[in-house]
Every structure is written in C-alpha cells, then in structure tokens.
Amino acid sequence: MTARVGVITFPGSLDDRDAARAVRLAGAEPVPLWHAEAELNDVDAVVLPGGFSYGDYLRAGAIARFAPLMDRLVAAAHDGLPVLGICNGFQVLCESHLLPGALTRNTSLHFVCRAQRLRIENAATDWTRAYEEGQEIVVPIKNIDGCYIADQETLDELESSGRVVARYVDVNPNGSLNDIAGICNEAGNVVGLMPHPEHAVEALTGPSTEGLGFFSSILQRLVGA
Amino acid sequence: MTEQIHEPGRDQAGGSDRGRGPEHAGSAEQVGGGGPEYAIGTEQVGGAEQVTSVEHVEGAEQASDAGQAERPAGPPTGVDSVARAAETPERDLPYAELGMNDEEFARVRDILGRRPTSAELAIYSVMWSEHCSYKSSRVHLKKFADKAPQSDALLVGMGENAGVVDVGNGWAVTFKIESHNHPSYVEPYQGAATGVGGIVRDILSMGARPVAVMDSLRFGPPDAPDTRRVLDGVVRGVGGYGNCLGLPNVGGEVVFDPCYAANPLVNALCVGVLKPEDIKRAIAPGPGNKVILFGALTGPDGIGGASVLASATFDEESHRKRPSVQVGDPFMEKLLTECCMEIFAEDLVVGIQDLGAAGVSCATTELAAAGTGGMDIDLGMVPLRDQTLRPEEILMSESQERMMAVVEPANVERFLKLCGKWDVPATVIGEVTDTGRLRMTWNGETIVDIPPGTAADEGPVYERPYEPPADLGQLQADGPGRLPRPSTSEELRNTVMWLAGAPNLADKSFVTSQYDKYVLGNTVLAMPEDAGVIRIGEGPQGIALATDGNGRYTRLDPYAGAQLALSEAYRNVAATGARPLAVTNCLNFGSPEDPGVMWQFAQAVEGLAAACRALGVPVTGGNVSFYNQTGTTPINPTPVIGVLGVHDDVNRRVGMSFNVEGMSILLLGETRAEFGGSEWANVVFGHLGGLPPRVDLAAEAALGSVLVAGAHEGVMEAAHDLSDGGLSQALLESCLRGGLGCTVSLPDDPFVELFSESVARAVVAVRPENEARVVALSEAAGVPVRRIGTVGGDAFEVEGQFSIPLGELREVHQGALPALFG
C-alpha cells in the first residue's frame, strides 16, 4: 500500500501541480482536493501548496482560511492528520491558528526568489524525519510576505520546545525573527515552511533534490517505507 | 464639437451619482486628451485606485454574483443611434480628437453611406489606430511573409493572436512578444503588469497553457532620478503580475541607454504549450452560435489607451494621460487561465479572442470578420464595474482579464457552469449571424451597423515617405578608431573591471531575483543563462527561448542591427543545445511620420526578413510599437527579437557555468577588430559611431550547428555566447556562474581578443578527452576553433597580462545594480 496525500487547490494556488509531482516522486499517491468541497476524501496527509490564494489582496492566506474545506482540515489536524503548508500554505495555517505567529512583508520590501540554504532543526516531525537534525539543505525560496514574526513569548516557546523546524543559513532572505524558515505545532503533525521543498525534487529543474525528504518523510511515517 | 454629439447622453446622465461635469461629455473627450477640458483626469485617477482596492478585496465575492449585475433603472436614452445618424447627417463628430484624419473619416462615411454614430466612430477610430491597424507598418511587414523560409514546423503564422509551431512528439508551442512601452512610463507598475497580462491572454486564446514569460526591458541612464522610479515600478509590475499568475520568468534583458529616459521599453514575451489538434482560432462561425464575454467586469480602464497611449508622443502633457493606463488583476487572470483550460479540454468553443487594445470593439469586429461575417450584440448585456459607462466607453474600455468566446448553443450551459466553478463572470452578449453586418443595440436602439471587415481588416494603409536620417553619414563616419585603446596590462585589467560593473553588463540578479523562476517545476535553465529552457509534457523534450536587441547597432545601421539581434538570439538558443526553429519580434521605433524613423523601420524589417530566410527561421508573429520618442527625438531603433528553439531531450542541455576543474576552453568563431556600437566604446567613452559588427549569417548557422551537435553528443560541459562586452565578459560570467576561475592565453592583440563584439562566436568548456571531437565538429562545419585556456583556480587570468581574483570581479559585477537601485 501507499499513502494518499491530498493537495488542496484554492483559487490562486500556483504550486499545486509541483506539490503533487513531489508527492508522486516520493512514492505516494497525490490526491487533488478542491477548496469548495467539504470532504478530505480519506487522504492520509495534506499539503497546502504555495501561491496567492484569492490573489492575497488582503493579508496572505486570510481568505483561504474560510474555504469550506478548511473547517474539515482544521478539525482533522487537531486529530493528528499530518499537514504541510508551504509558503502560501504556511500563511493559511497561521491564519487558521493551526500554527502561531504571522508572515508579513519581507523587510527588503521586494519579492525574493533564490536558492536558499536551510538547516533542519527538528528532524522528528511527520514531515522531516527523513533528515538528520542539523542537516543543511538547499531549496528555493520565493515570496514577498515571508517574514515570520511572533511575540517574544511565542518565540521563546517555539525555541524551547524545539518547534522551529528549519532555519535560514547564510542569508535571512526576508527578515524572519530568529531566522525561522519553518515551525510545527506541539504534536509535530502540522508543519509550516516558507521555502519550497517541492521545487527541489529533480536534478533537472531544482537547485538540488534535497527537498524530497519532506515528502519521503510523510511516506515513512504513514507506511513505514 | 464633442459636446454636440454627446449632448443628449449628458443630459440624461447628469443626474448620475458619478456626478460627471460637462467636461466629461463622453468617451471622445477622454480619447482626445490633452485639451483644457480634460479635467476628468484627476477624478479618474482616484477612481481607478479605488477600484483596485475594492475589486481586490472583494474579488471572489464580486465574481460570483457578477453574472446577475443589474444595470440601474433608466439608463440614459437618446443615444446616437443609427436612425439618428441618418436623420442628422451633418452633425460634427470629434474624429480628429480620436486620432482620425479627414481622409479616414471620409472613408468611414463612404463605407457606411452615412455619418457614423458615435459608437461606430469609437470602433473605427480604435481599430484604425496605428496600434490596432498597423497602418504605417503593414506594407513593410508583408516582407516577413513574402520572404519567409520554408518551414514544415509552422502551424499558425502571422496574423493570429500568436504563431504556433510544431516542436515534435505531438506537441506544439505558441509564443509572442509584445510591447507595453508608453503605459509603463506613465504608470510603471500597472503598465508593466498589464503588459504581462496582455501577452499571456494572447497565448491563452490560441488554446495553449501558458508556461513561461520573459521580459525585455530598457530604461534611461541608471543614474537618472526618474530611472529609479520607472525601473522599480516596472520590475515590481512584471513580478507582481507574473508571480501571482504562476508563470516562471525565465529570461529577458535589462538595458540602460539615455535614449530611453522618457520612453522606457517594456516588451513582454509569453510561451504556451498545446497539442496541435487543439489550436483555437479567433473566428465566429456558425449563425446562431452564442457570443460570450467572460472574465473581469468592464470598467473605465484605459479608455482610449489604444489610440492615445500607443500613438502619441510623450511630452509635458503625459501626466494628463495617467487615467488611460489599465489596472491589472493577476488573480482574475489565473482564474481565467484555469477556467479556459477546462473549457478547452471539453472542446466547448468554436472561436475565441482575448480582449486587449480596443476591447470589445476589437474582439467583436475581428471575430465577426473572420467568421461567418455577421454578429448581433446587445451592449447592454456587458457586465459593468461602473454602471454609468456609456456605450462608446464600453466599446473602447481596455479593462483587463477579459475574453470573448463563440459557443454552440448546446454547450452554453456547460460553458457557464465551468466559469461558475472558477468564479469567472460570464455573460451571453450576442450571437453569430449571416447578415454580414456587425450590429449592436443599446436599450433596443441600434447604435452600430457596420460590415465588420471594414473595421478589422480594411483599415487605411500608408506608404509613408522615408529617407536616411540626416545625421547618419556623420555618425557612421565617426568610427571608434579614434578612441584610445588600453595598451598596458594594467589598463586592460581596469577595462575588464570597468565593463564587468557597467550597468548594461553587470549581473542582473537584483531584477531577476524578484521573479519566480521555479513555479510549474519545468524550468531547466533561466537567467542569467543564455536562454530560458523549459521542459514540456514532463520531458524529455523541451524548448529554449532567448530575446535580444541592440539599439546602438541598429542606430548605426538598421538593416544590420535587426540582423544582429536575430543573430544573437539564434546563438543564445543554440548555446543551450537547442535547434532554433522560429522567430517573434517586437519592433520599437520612433514616429512613423518622421521619414528618418520610417527609413530605419523599413531597413530593419528588410534586414530581419532576409536574415530569417537565411537562417531558415520564420517570423510567426510580433508587434510594432511606434511613437517611441521624446519631443522630436526618437529612441534608437530597437527591434527586439525572440528566437524559439527545440530540445529533443532537455537532459542534454548545456549551461554556461565553468564548474569542472581542468576543462579546456575553446573559442569558436573568428574575432575581428570590431568596436562600432560596442559596449567598450559606450562604457569607456560614451561613444556611438562607425558601423556595427559585420553580419555573417552563414557563420552563425555553422556555429549553431556545432553547438547543437556538441550538446547532442554530450561532449560540451559549458557553452556561452559572445556578444556585448566580448570574450572578457563571456569568460568572467561563466567563471562567476560556476565558481571557478580560468587561465587563457591571447597572444595576438589582447585588447581586440577581449573586447571585440564580432558575431558568430562562443566559448565552450570541454573535458580534455572530448576536445578533439569538438574541434572535429567545428572544422567539419567550417567554424574556426582554437583552444585558449583551462578552467580552474579562483581568478580570471590572461597569461602575461593580468590576474583578477574572482572575489574582486564578483564584487563589481554583482554589486553594481544593488548599489544603484537597492
């Protein structure tokens, strides 16, 4: 058996095909999920892809959180369903309060697209177990609202409980506090990540293939592959 | 004059909540622009901005109920109907303000056998504008077809929204480049953004999925204060639209020259992929078929933009034209794209056209003219964002993100359902007829009744006079020979550094890092590589695309300049290992009413057509942008040429990086002492004179064949074309890209070797064991080949002359643009 990993398409989602391709390359079965449906179709995990849901004309992710499917998703996530939010997906997870903090305009005020070095700080989550703690990987980053912020108490909590999943190395591309590139919830099943591992799964098109680990991690977790 | 025609309407509309003053008598005034009555401008600026924010926030909501948008009760009556036109034959019409001359207006009267209604005048004026009718360029553009090389790959040629070529393995590709120059000066962000949006819809309307964009940008001097405003806005606009639309930006150009100071060039290219059997056409066949307008609502965007903004020279009045720039909504375009993909997949349309310049006027006349010939439209059905719009304004509105489809009645319900799924407003506004007439009604009155072909295809054609610019002889006589050349090693070293950090040659990451190049997951190569390379259909086939242009060369010799632009784009595509296949072009020139400019244009078209024939690559489509000038001073003539190439297997593509120690560096091609129009003359002396490098298309084709064969055989680790800045620039770019230095030996005249811009040259890096094979390939093709050095170390070294640490080069090369614009 293999795992069924849902990929949600909101109006304005852009990296949904890429996320599905990454799921497939990792050996799982991608299942397209439509924002307006109310069912998760028995998927074993869900990816919220990058993009500009609803154009992000309001705060990024602020409208997507009200999509009919999100009610189901939030409940399922509380019950332990593994969820990975990438870029806009991370923004939606914060807006949905599945993850703390918020993503604001890059301090440079520019959209930034580059190959970015990250350090995996927590290799115990559902989405990072294929990595070693402290492992450095290079994956693309591309965003204009990628500056992670939270109040000091939340930051201290995230740091002390090991919930910073990945951190920027060499360059902090968007001014995120504590160089935070990704975080998880307390249970470790919900991970939000600003960089794009789904764009680093093939040598032909990515800066590396080191993003594949996020998708093989979930397969490991679900089927022990 | 204007008030007369709109008087009835104004009386009626006077009570509207928009509170139009008497100045705002109708579309005519807006189009005319510039006059003292043009007070409405300020109001519209405010309006436009407001619309942006409201629309953006409420986008989704608005979309869902837009279909039922109700017009307020009692819209203005007393419009200028056909019946009224017959009754009042002598009424003055503001055709001059609409950009139409006496002869053109007389011709409209002849065609109709009466005076046109104001709505008809709106249609003819925009359709016969330079922008839409190509009236000054058409006689010359015929040469692309007359001289076109035989090509089995061409599926759709010039004249459609975009050309389509067969790239093999059951795939076709459509691509086109288009200008959005004037709007990008007035309102850089929206001008550039809607430039991207417009070209993407052209590709979409061919039935293709858009897969990548590129942008060829030209700005004024980098240190001029206004350049910062324009560059910042244009780059944000290109990125803001393309990134939100989810199309990777894979290449293009960023060039600075004083001639573009008040007239930047923003040329946007889009490429799409489809199956040859799924090509769509802009036709309206089959009486009884329904005409559906879908996409964004129609508002007062860019009214008259086509004829005013695209056909008028900038002067101090230009700020009055601000409201004529359209506002883009990339989110709506994304919805429209996905909606169209599902509509195409179910084969629900018999014809489709995007709405760009001239909006509904253009779409209805062109669809009808290319189809059965007739169409009835109820303009009152057009869903509006601003309920006070007059029919003339609806006809001329350039609101973005709209398309028009012709759908068989049985498919209408399904069509509308798919639009509903994507929250795309869609409305049946009319149907195809066999009357041979395009008829439009407004509140039951017929306001348009014309033979559509007379507006769409039978516009005026001008053979404008031309002669070489008066200063050309003097310019060509002032060659670079008089310029002092660097002679010592230190002077050579300084020249390398100087050029590496010159804005035209410096690293462009400051710009390109603001564009998403990864989305869709098929980008194999992107800037700063020689060409963008995109995988098709999950591989292994792919395409390569490059755009090039050199206004300096073209100023010195427009015939040669256009050929050199093609030559370079051809070389760039071949450098990745792709076989060049087809051409698109964006011809940016000054006013066609200036005989010197017209001569430049005629020469450039002639040269380009001849070069396309020589290289066997047909022109598939493109765009002409005239009136690029400030006052009476035209820009350097700037044909920007896009070349599409094919990779049978993208895994064999070749990049530009020197990233393997010990590779041999081979120089392919012949270097002559050619410095006319060169970057060396430009950067060091600010000099433009003499003649550009000699065109050698046979050598270009031969070089291309070696690069393609070498890539196919897998014997080249890297290849990089030589162009602006010559060998020095090519070597340092490959070194910095790959992170390794190189040592080369240039025994002849190191200055000429390093900085000449002779054509048909490339450097390739090969493993020592493959050197003999690449030499053999070159010799067999008649391409001069010479081993000039080795990859390795961490410096750019020319033996016996200088050695520059890569760190030092990187600092000047990568630091230049951030220092200017960061």
Side-chain angles (χ1 to χ4, degrees):
Chain A
M1 73 159 274
T2 185
R4 287 162 50 82
V5 178
V7 177
I8 302 182
T9 298
F10 298 100
S13 291
L14 304 178
D15 299 311
D16 42 350
R17 287 178 194 78
D18 304 70
R21 185 191 288 117
V23 166
R24 196 172 62 246
L25 289 172
E29 179 196 348
V31 178
L33 297 175
W34 181 239
H35 71 108
E37 305 287 336
E39 283 309 319
L40 289 169
N41 293 334
D42 298 322
V43 295
D44 304 306
V46 169
V47 177
L48 283 76
F52 290 78
S53 54
Y54 299 94
D56 280 348
Y57 293 128
L58 197 53
R59 277 191 331 272
I63 296 181
R65 77 165 274 211
F66 293 106
L69 191 61
M70 286 304 294
D71 287 343
R72 282 288 297 121
L73 184 79
V74 170
H78 284 308
D79 290 342
L81 181 78
V83 176
L84 173 66
I86 302 170
C87 195
N88 193 230
F90 186 11
Q91 294 160 344
V92 175
L93 292 178
C94 289
E95 289 288 338
S96 308
H97 305 299
L98 281 171
L99 293 173
L103 293 142
T104 59
R105 185 86 359 153
N106 296 345
T107 47
S108 69
L109 304 182
H110 287 294
F111 186 95
V112 174
C113 175
R114 63 193 304 269
Q116 173 71 42
R117 183 169 291 276
L118 307 178
R119 186 170 57 244
I120 302 296
E121 301 280 34
N122 178 343
T125 77
D126 286 351
W127 298 92
T128 53
R129 57 181 61 205
Y131 297 104
E132 306 281 332
E133 191 175 311
Q135 185 179 342
E136 292 192 3
I137 62 172
V138 174
V139 301
I141 187 158
K142 41 171 216 178
N143 63 64
I144 190 161
D145 290 317
C147 175
Y148 182 78
I149 58 164
D151 58 40
Q152 194 57 46
E153 196 181 331
T154 305
L155 281 176
D156 291 344
E157 163 68 19
L158 287 172
E159 293 287 359
S160 64
S161 57
R163 286 168 59 196
V164 174
V165 173
R167 227 184 280 277
Y168 300 116
V169 180
D170 298 337
V171 176
N172 179 337
N174 43 34
S176 291
L177 295 177
N178 296 18
D179 298 331
I180 288 175
I183 57 172
C184 65
N185 65 351
E186 280 178 56
N189 63 310
V190 179
V191 170
L193 192 68
M194 215 54 217
H196 289 261
E198 83 282 17
H199 291 320
V201 295
E202 294 180 278
L204 184 67
T205 55
S208 75
T209 56
E210 293 165 344
L212 200 57
F214 282 87
F215 305 93
S216 50
S217 291
I218 194 63
L219 200 64
Q220 260 183 44
R221 151 83 170 69
L222 295 170
V223 297
Chain B
M1 289 190 303
T2 312
E3 290 186 9
Q4 282 180 316
I5 174 171
H6 288 288
E7 214 160 19
R10 194 185 73 207
D11 290 345
Q12 295 295 326
S16 85
D17 55 6
R18 179 115 174 255
R20 299 176 175 195
E23 306 88 355
H24 187 239
S27 60
E29 285 294 348
Q30 291 182 317
V31 174
E37 320 86 332
Y38 196 58
I40 192 71
T42 358
E43 181 188 321
Q44 276 198 323
V45 175
E49 283 169 359
Q50 208 174 23
V51 166
T52 320
S53 57
V54 170
E55 181 181 319
H56 289 176
V57 174
E58 298 181 350
E61 211 178 321
Q62 190 184 40
S64 54
D65 59 23
Q68 300 101 48
E70 297 258 329
R71 206 172 297 284
T77 55
V79 292
D80 191 31
S81 65
V82 169
R84 199 182 190 91
E87 287 161 14
T88 56
E90 298 312 317
R91 169 173 281 178
D92 282 339
L93 290 164
Y95 60 89
E97 288 90 329
L98 288 158
M100 213 176 231
N101 64 30
D102 294 344
E103 294 72 32
E104 290 167 350
F105 182 69
R107 199 159 148 220
V108 172
R109 290 194 73 121
D110 282 351
I111 288 168
L112 300 178
R114 57 171 164 77
R115 76 160 173 90
T117 65
S118 57
E120 289 166 341
L121 184 63
I123 292 177
Y124 280 104
S125 71
V126 290
M127 292 307 293
W128 287 7
S129 70
E130 187 66 57
H131 187 74
C132 291
S133 74
Y134 292 81
K135 57 190 168 190
S136 301
S137 55
R138 193 179 281 200
V139 291
H140 300 282
L141 296 175
K142 273 181 54 195
K143 289 170 191 152
F144 290 136
D146 295 347
K147 292 193 175 176
Q150 278 299 316
S151 169
D152 296 337
L154 193 62
L155 299 175
V156 176
M158 288 173 62
E160 289 284 335
N161 284 308
V164 184
V165 287
D166 188 338
V167 296
N169 293 318
W171 290 101
V173 165
T174 174
F175 71 121
K176 189 179 172 187
I177 188 166
E178 208 166 68
S179 63
H180 227 213
N181 303 338
H182 293 127
S184 299
Y185 178 62
V186 177
E187 184 70 281
Y189 185 97
Q190 293 297 347
T194 54
V196 175
I199 192 65
V200 168
R201 283 193 304 284
D202 272 337
I203 294 309
L204 195 54
S205 65
M206 295 308 297
R209 174 176 279 283
V211 296
V213 293
M214 294 176 86
D215 292 276
S216 183
L217 309 176
R218 285 173 170 73
F219 303 105
D223 53 355
D226 196 47
T227 299
R228 189 188 178 94
R229 170 189 75 93
V230 177
L231 180 139
D232 185 75
V234 165
V235 172
R236 279 179 199 278
V238 168
Y241 204 98
N243 295 339
C244 187
L245 190 51
L247 291 177
N249 191 315
V250 298
E253 304 167 273
V254 179
V255 177
F256 301 92
D257 191 285
C259 75
Y260 307 115
N263 200 123
L265 301 187
V266 174
N267 295 177
L269 180 148
C270 182
V271 56
V273 172
L274 71 166
K275 296 284 185 181
E277 61 271 23
D278 293 337
I279 293 172
K280 298 289 180 286
R281 298 289 181 116
I283 53 172
N289 284 339
K290 301 297 179 189
V291 178
I292 300 180
L293 182 63
F294 66 117
L297 306 186
T298 299
D301 305 78
I303 290 176
S307 50
V308 177
L309 274 179
S311 310
T313 301
F314 279 119
D315 53 23
E316 58 278 9
E317 298 285 342
S318 69
H319 285 279
R320 291 174 176 275
K321 291 178 181 167
R322 183 181 288 261
S324 291
V325 177
Q326 312 87 328
V327 175
D329 177 358
F331 173 56
M332 176 53 84
E333 184 117 324
K334 171 66 176 171
L335 298 183
L336 198 56
T337 301
E338 297 303 330
C339 180
C340 280
M341 290 301 112
E342 296 193 359
I343 285 165
F344 295 156
E346 296 190 23
D347 201 17
L348 297 178
V349 302
V350 293
I352 188 160
Q353 168 78 303
D354 65 303
L355 273 68
V360 172
S361 294
C362 184
T364 51
T365 55
E366 290 191 352
L367 282 170
T372 305
M375 188 181 280
D376 285 349
I377 297 288
D378 181 356
L379 265 191
M381 293 300 291
V382 172
L384 301 180
R385 202 172 65 215
D386 174 350
Q387 303 299 331
T388 65
L389 287 189
R390 305 281 303 152
E392 298 85 353
E393 295 172 303
I394 295 170
L395 283 167
M396 299 178 95
S397 164
E398 297 189 350
S399 288
Q400 301 291 292
E401 294 91 26
R402 297 180 300 163
M403 307 272 284
M404 190 172 284
V406 180
V407 180
E408 288 173 2
N411 290 328
V412 168
E413 189 183 340
R414 180 65 187 156
F415 183 103
L416 296 177
K417 194 172 168 65
L418 287 176
C419 290
K421 173 187 169 184
W422 287 100
D423 288 334
V424 170
T427 313
V428 177
I429 64 165
E431 66 177 49
V432 178
T433 69
D434 55 6
T435 60
R437 311 286 292 184
L438 172 63
R439 292 200 178 101
M440 298 189 183
T441 55
W442 177 259
N443 291 324
E445 289 192 82
T446 301
I447 58 166
V448 172
D449 186 355
I450 63 172
T454 59
D457 306 320
E458 294 156 33
V461 174
Y462 294 128
E463 299 207 22
R464 298 201 186 270
Y466 55 85
E467 62 181 15
D471 64 352
L472 187 68
Q474 199 184 355
L475 197 65
Q476 291 180 339
D478 176 29
R482 67 173 172 84
L483 305 174
R485 300 177 173 190
S487 52
T488 67
S489 296
E490 194 189 346
E491 284 171 0
L492 281 174
R493 184 190 199 278
N494 289 344
T495 308
V496 169
M497 294 289 283
W498 203 347
L499 291 187
N504 283 349
L505 298 176
D507 178 73
K508 301 301 190 301
S509 301
F510 173 77
V511 169
T512 57
S513 68
Q514 298 186 47
Y515 307 148
D516 183 351
K517 65 178 177 182
Y518 293 109
V519 64
L520 299 182
N522 289 313
T523 305
V524 177
L525 292 177
M527 54 272 171
E529 298 286 342
D530 287 340
V533 174
I534 299 283
R535 175 175 62 181
I536 291 177
E538 299 294 307
Q541 65 271 55
I543 52 170
L545 269 164
T547 65
D548 285 290
N550 190 316
R552 290 167 52 78
Y553 291 169
T554 316
R555 174 75 172 91
L556 297 177
D557 181 345
Y559 186 93
Q563 297 196 325
L564 289 165
L566 174 68
S567 218
E568 187 182 346
Y570 184 97
R571 193 183 322 140
N572 276 321
V573 162
T576 70
R579 187 167 39 88
L581 191 65
V583 171
T584 182
N585 61 66
C586 193
L587 307 175
N588 306 279
F589 288 78
S591 167
E593 296 159 45
D594 174 339
V597 169
M598 208 56 220
W599 179 82
Q600 292 171 330
F601 181 78
Q603 287 283 301
V605 169
E606 188 108 26
L608 183 57
C612 287
R613 190 182 185 97
L615 290 172
V617 285
V619 172
T620 62
N623 163 243
V624 176
S625 175
F626 278 133
Y627 298 98
N628 292 289
Q629 57 185 61
T630 308
T632 57
T633 309
I635 59 163
N636 287 341
T638 313
V640 172
I641 311 301
V643 170
L644 173 81
V646 181
H647 281 279
D648 296 325
D649 180 356
V650 278
N651 294 293
R652 294 178 179 273
R653 89 293 187 195
V654 176
M656 63 182 272
S657 301
F658 287 173
N659 53 16
V660 180
E661 286 266 1
M663 288 190 294
S664 300
I665 302 172
L666 306 183
L667 173 62
L668 274 56
E670 185 186 348
T671 304
R672 296 177 284 261
E674 296 184 289
F675 292 96
S678 68
E679 277 299 326
W680 169 73
N682 181 33
V683 171
V684 181
F685 301 100
H687 175 266
L688 176 61
L691 288 171
R694 197 169 87 205
V695 175
D696 191 341
L697 299 169
E700 203 65 76
L703 174 73
S705 74
V706 173
L707 294 169
V708 172
H712 183 74
E713 293 186 17
V715 292
M716 300 186 322
E717 302 306 310
H720 192 17
D721 88 301
L722 267 59
S723 54
D724 304 353
L727 177 66
S728 166
Q729 186 67 18
L731 288 174
L732 72 87
E733 285 173 357
S734 285
C735 286
L736 292 176
R737 179 87 168 136
L740 284 177
C742 71
T743 303
V744 296
S745 165
L746 305 172
D748 290 346
D749 179 339
F751 167 73
V752 172
E753 297 258 25
L754 282 169
F755 303 112
S756 166
E757 297 185 0
S758 295
V759 300
R761 296 184 304 154
V763 285
V764 299
V766 302
R767 292 180 189 277
E769 63 268 28
N770 291 328
E771 198 179 312
R773 179 59 191 151
V774 175
V775 169
L777 281 172
S778 304
E779 287 173 349
V783 174
V785 56
R786 179 160 59 101
R787 185 182 188 283
I788 58 169
T790 313
V791 173
D794 55 5
F796 172 28
E797 182 176 346
V798 176
E799 281 177 358
Q801 297 295 344
F802 57 79
S803 175
I804 310 175
L806 286 194
E808 208 176 311
L809 271 176
R810 183 174 286 117
E811 203 172 292
V812 298
H813 188 55
Q814 297 180 353
L817 291 200
L820 285 160
F821 302 107

